[in-house]
Amino acid sequence: TILVIEDDAEFAKILYKECHNQHFKCIIAGDGETGYAIAQEYLPAAIILDIKLPGMDGWKVLDLIKRDSKTRHIPVHMMSSLDETFEAYQKGAIGYLKKPVTVDTLAAAFDKIEHFLEKKMKHLLIVEDNELLRKTMKQLLKGADVEISEVSTAQECIELLRKNVYDCLILDLGLPDADGLELIRKIREMHLEVLPPIIIYTGQDLTREQNDELNQYTKSIIIKGVRSEERLLDEATLFLHRMVQDLPQQQQAILKKLYEKEDTFEGKKVLLVDDDMRNIFALSKVFEEKGIDVLKAENGLKALEILKNHSDVNLILMDIMMPEMDGFEAIQEIRKDKSFKETPIIAVTAKAMKEDRQKCLDAGASDYVSKPIDIAKLLSLMRVWLKK
């Protein structure tokens, strides 16, 4: 069965007819809310999803489907009059159909869906020069439904991509014969028929420029450290469209814990202020997995600008050592605004020195944590302040 989520009744009829021509059953939903409810109840073999829908749009539906362990393995083929192909693939879609469609493009979309449903083995390529880390990743991601290839250099990666098709690529940025960005550029220049989703898995410090360029190619950037193994398993499972219930028990347990929602965090808005891109990536992902809406600023001045347009922020996590305007000054400025007089502000200090803590509290912080951040302790502290 294919679920078609499309509000244009005439086009929905065309898709319905094509499903039957391709020997599929078909269910039609005219809006996002209904489509998501049907996906949960009937667990279709595949979904064709329009982006511009009344009420809940296609992006939100895709996000909900991919966050739900029961539905995240279902292949979703997106369609829209807008050209947002990259965004669709990065969110876990298997294809993107641009309207208006032709007979050929529609046939190609169904071919892709059928090929995907018939494919039993998923192919993953790990590009990492650290042999011990490669072994750890293979152990973490292994499964009867996944064939894992591994290489240690950029050149080996390119050679394998010329010969084989991969469903996902995990890439370290610090390779001996080329940096990761250079390799990604070379891969793009190869004009592969199928460009696999790329997960960046790195311990490198990223500059603002590197981050901006990487974001043109992938939204999956995992910094080795803060819950990085859990996040790597999560991202790889998403892009390989693996059924969570068919994963080894240990992998299921990791993903279940990662997606445990709490009423304390669900729907809350947190402003994360830090000039270190590693912390921004790591913390924002942890927060988003808890159902938190994350706003990001790289210094105190940016934080003040964001707060002008977001008076509904529930908590602020403020790094102290930043350029342009440090955390102390930013906290003092925020406290001058009546809207944020009582908003919890947790200061992040580089040192656990008593005088630093007192200085944070004197500036107007509600509480503090020291680096390196212990995620469990930070979440515990946030629970306390968000419940007040």
Side-chain angles (χ1 to χ4, degrees):
T1 302
I2 289 182
L3 168 62
V4 172
I5 309 176
E6 167 62 69
D7 64 321
D8 181 331
E10 288 304 312
F11 188 50
K13 280 182 192 173
I14 292 169
L15 291 170
Y16 181 86
K17 193 174 179 182
E18 190 60 29
C19 282
H20 285 266
N21 290 341
Q22 301 286 342
H23 309 293
F24 289 107
K25 293 175 185 176
C26 181
I27 304 172
I28 303 284
D31 60 76
E33 288 85 352
T34 306
Y36 178 57
I38 290 172
Q40 283 188 304
E41 186 177 351
Y42 290 96
L43 300 177
I47 297 170
I48 296 175
L49 174 61
D50 189 23
I51 291 175
K52 296 182 82 174
L53 294 168
M56 187 192 292
D57 70 11
W59 293 127
K60 182 64 177 173
V61 177
L62 181 64
D63 186 51
L64 288 171
I65 287 167
K66 294 304 175 185
R67 279 176 174 268
D68 189 329
S69 62
K70 286 193 306 178
T71 56
R72 73 186 323 225
H73 66 280
I74 299 172
V76 180
H77 202 296
M78 304 293 283
M79 56 185 180
S80 174
S81 56
L82 306 170
D83 192 6
E84 300 187 66
T85 319
F86 172 71
E87 192 77 15
Y89 284 114
Q90 286 306 312
K91 289 178 180 288
I94 64 159
Y96 189 91
L97 188 62
K98 194 165 187 302
K99 294 179 178 179
V101 302
T102 65
V103 174
D104 289 342
T105 57
L106 193 57
F110 275 95
D111 283 347
K112 184 171 259 189
I113 291 169
E114 198 153 6
H115 172 73
F116 197 92
L117 294 176
E118 288 171 356
K119 189 175 183 179
K120 301 303 176 195
M121 186 64 73
K122 310 296 168 61
H123 299 277
L124 171 68
L125 176 58
I126 296 173
V127 188
E128 167 63 64
D129 65 329
N130 185 314
E131 187 181 354
L132 185 61
L133 194 51
R134 285 202 308 274
K135 282 183 181 174
T136 303
M137 283 194 271
K138 284 183 76 173
Q139 186 66 25
L140 176 73
L141 304 170
K142 70 179 182 181
D145 58 335
V146 181
E147 187 179 279
I148 302 176
S149 304
E150 54 175 299
V151 294
S152 58
T153 67
Q155 187 56 43
E156 290 173 306
C157 171
I158 287 169
E159 285 169 10
L160 279 186
L161 288 172
R162 283 197 182 110
K163 296 176 196 169
N164 309 306
V165 175
Y166 292 95
D167 298 288
C168 183
L169 176 66
I170 298 173
L171 172 63
D172 181 30
L173 291 180
L175 298 170
D177 57 337
D179 72 41
L181 268 169
E182 191 182 326
L183 175 56
I184 293 173
R185 291 186 203 114
K186 285 180 180 175
I187 292 170
R188 294 287 289 235
E189 288 164 9
M190 289 169 70
H191 300 295
L192 298 170
E193 189 177 334
V194 179
L195 182 66
I198 298 171
I199 300 171
I200 302 296
Y201 191 54
T202 183
Q204 279 190 16
D205 287 325
L206 297 175
T207 65
R208 173 68 55 183
E209 291 73 24
Q210 286 174 320
N211 171 55
D212 290 344
E213 186 172 355
L214 281 171
N215 272 311
Q216 295 174 34
Y217 309 123
T218 179
K219 299 294 181 193
S220 298
I221 302 172
I222 301 171
I223 305 298
K224 293 169 185 172
V226 182
R227 293 178 70 173
S228 56
E229 287 195 355
E230 292 100 317
R231 284 201 49 219
L232 183 62
L233 174 62
D234 181 44
E235 297 279 329
T237 305
L238 171 68
F239 290 132
L240 295 172
H241 298 84
R242 299 176 74 188
M243 292 183 73
V244 174
Q245 55 266 45
D246 290 346
L247 295 175
Q249 285 298 320
Q250 189 181 359
Q251 293 182 3
Q252 285 191 46
I254 291 170
L255 292 177
K256 186 181 177 187
K257 191 175 178 185
L258 199 60
Y259 278 93
E260 274 178 348
K261 290 285 192 290
E262 298 177 38
D263 291 340
T264 312
F265 295 129
E266 188 71 43
K268 293 293 191 293
K269 189 176 281 190
V270 169
L271 173 59
L272 176 56
V273 190
D274 200 317
D275 67 321
D276 186 336
M277 296 309 300
R278 295 158 60 92
N279 288 336
I280 290 279
F281 282 128
L283 291 173
S284 60
K285 190 67 180 179
V286 169
F287 292 165
E288 283 161 4
E289 283 156 0
K290 295 291 180 187
I292 296 170
D293 183 11
V294 182
L295 301 172
K296 303 161 198 165
E298 67 266 27
N299 60 53
L301 285 173
K302 289 279 185 190
L304 295 176
E305 282 176 30
I306 288 171
L307 290 173
K308 283 177 188 173
N309 301 312
H310 295 275
S311 58
D312 58 342
V313 165
N314 301 104
L315 183 141
I316 300 165
L317 190 65
M318 178 73 70
D319 188 33
I320 293 301
M321 302 301 289
M322 295 182 294
E324 294 191 59
M325 179 187 283
D326 67 17
F328 295 124
E329 191 181 346
I331 294 169
Q332 289 169 336
E333 290 299 317
I334 291 167
R335 290 303 189 208
K336 289 176 185 175
D337 187 331
K338 288 179 183 176
S339 307
F340 302 105
K341 204 80 178 166
E342 303 299 323
T343 304
I345 301 177
I346 299 176
V348 181
T349 62
K351 296 169 283 187
M353 301 288 287
K354 214 171 186 179
E355 53 267 31
D356 286 330
R357 296 171 179 176
Q358 193 55 48
K359 204 174 170 185
C360 292
L361 298 175
D362 291 343
S366 314
D367 219 320
Y368 47 82
V369 290
S370 57
K371 290 183 179 179
I373 293 174
D374 181 319
I375 292 296
K377 284 183 181 175
L378 174 61
L379 291 173
S380 179
L381 200 58
M382 288 170 66
R383 283 185 197 99
V384 170
W385 285 103
L386 286 169
K387 282 178 181 174
K388 286 197 174 189

